[in-house]
DNA sequence: TGAGGTGGTTGCAAAGTGAAACCGCAATCA
DNA sequence: TGATTGCGGTTTCACTTTGCAACCACCTCA
């Protein structure tokens, strides 16, 4: 996590969430959480990261309200980490990232893990950014404005 | 950028792009590039990061094919950094991240920078994940599979 | 009792980050 | 002509973070 002491961190909607998920591990933990992993040991085995790092990342995700700890699960005396509603809101971000990655980081013959429709196994079509009246918008069709909160 | 020497980095469509954009600065640089910034000094002034860090991040984004350098622009003897097609493909990721951030990191009264439709100034409606036949999909409606490249 | 699994914390070495200084180049100014 | 400034970096060095390994506390089961 960089320092970002600049003047630009206050109102930018990109900068602020990066404190929560901007490091290299958090999004992988969240992806695993979407895949149903809940236990410390599951995350650690699946990701192969050091336990102290995992511990710090889980704490950070909990304090940011993305994961929360629930007391048990099965009879074990330990806790589990599950996505909050805020954490589940990251689903479109992960889908967008996966689609971009599939398109640009993998060759057509290369094996990869992809997300498919659970009902019929069909791959997800590419995300589209639509305006309120249904036009498809590209990067040049949008503009950033400073919004005051009132409106 | 974490090490990720684990067995899971090879085929995961989330892990691989994080080498390119997984640090705390790269997405901010890319957002600025979408906003039209092109020059080293523009990025540095706008983000307030150290010049060596900016230099390293720009190099990394160039080697990953997200930005490319173009020789001039105006008459100046310097180079500019512009998004490649691959870089422009990150637009849905940024939109998804902004929408999640607006919803969960900002109070209703809090001032923030948001993205609006350039044509009519209307805010972008929330992204929806749709199946190939138009059903809206949530996290529990999808499942990850290992895809072999052939099909 | 003690052997093993789970969920961490603690050292410590190595790598990464960041502020400031420095540097080469070109255009500008005196 | 010689000095100055701005741009685009690179170098230096103190500081922070990461990651491996060891250790530890707790519980279960034999």
């Amino acid at each position: 996590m960089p320092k970002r002491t600049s003047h630009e961190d206050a109102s930018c909607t990109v900068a602020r969430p990066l404190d929560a998920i901007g490091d290299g591990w958090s999004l992988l933990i969240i992806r695993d959480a979407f895949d149903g992993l809940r236990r410390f040991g599951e995350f650690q085995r699946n990701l192969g990261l050091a336990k102290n790092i995992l511990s710090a990342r889980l704490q950070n995700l909990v304090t940011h309200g993305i994961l929360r700890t629930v007391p048990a699960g099965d009879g074990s005396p330990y806790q589990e980490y599950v996505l909050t509603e805020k954490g589940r809101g990251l689903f479109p971000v992960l889908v967008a990232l996966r689609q971009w990655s599939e398109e640009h980081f993998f060759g057509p013959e290369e094996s990869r893990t992809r997300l498919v429709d659970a009902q019929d196994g069909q791959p997800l079509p590419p995300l589209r950014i639509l305006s309120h009246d249904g036009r498809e918008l590209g990067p040049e069709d949008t503009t950033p404005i400073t919004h005051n909160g009132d409106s």
Side-chain angles (χ1 to χ4, degrees), chain A:
Chain A
M1 342 170 183
K3 271 192 63 182
R4 262 195 310 274
T5 52
S6 162
H7 39 80
E8 65 85 30
D9 60 346
S11 63
C12 173
T13 50
V14 177
R16 204 178 286 195
L18 293 181
D19 289 331
I21 59 166
D23 70 291
W25 287 114
S26 295
L27 267 184
L28 294 174
I29 293 170
I30 293 164
R31 177 212 49 173
D32 280 358
F34 274 117
D35 291 349
L37 272 58
R38 306 162 73 98
R39 295 290 284 266
F40 187 96
E42 289 179 312
F43 290 114
Q44 207 234 322
R45 271 188 302 280
N46 194 54
L47 295 172
L49 82 173
K51 295 203 285 184
N52 53 352
I53 306 296
L54 176 58
S55 183
R57 289 296 161 268
L58 289 173
Q59 291 306 324
N60 188 50
L61 290 171
V62 168
T63 62
H64 276 93
I66 294 167
L67 297 177
R68 72 173 195 279
T69 55
V70 302
D74 51 354
S76 64
Y78 306 117
Q79 59 188 358
E80 302 186 336
Y81 298 89
V82 300
L83 288 165
T84 62
E85 195 52 38
K86 177 175 178 177
R88 291 163 49 82
L90 276 168
F91 184 62
V93 176
L94 276 179
V95 170
L97 186 62
R98 290 182 105 124
Q99 291 192 345
W100 179 70
S101 171
E102 271 204 63
E103 187 170 356
H104 293 101
F105 280 87
F106 289 83
E109 301 301 315
E110 198 171 356
S111 160
R112 58 189 175 274
T113 304
R114 68 190 327 190
L115 220 53
V116 301
D117 187 336
Q119 198 170 102
D120 55 15
Q122 292 295 307
L124 273 55
L127 276 181
R128 296 170 178 280
I129 314 293
L130 299 178
S131 71
H132 68 104
D133 55 353
R135 283 169 291 122
E136 181 167 359
L137 301 178
E140 63 289 334
D141 301 319
T142 64
T143 183
I145 63 165
T146 298
H147 187 253
N148 233 344
D150 59 320
S151 74

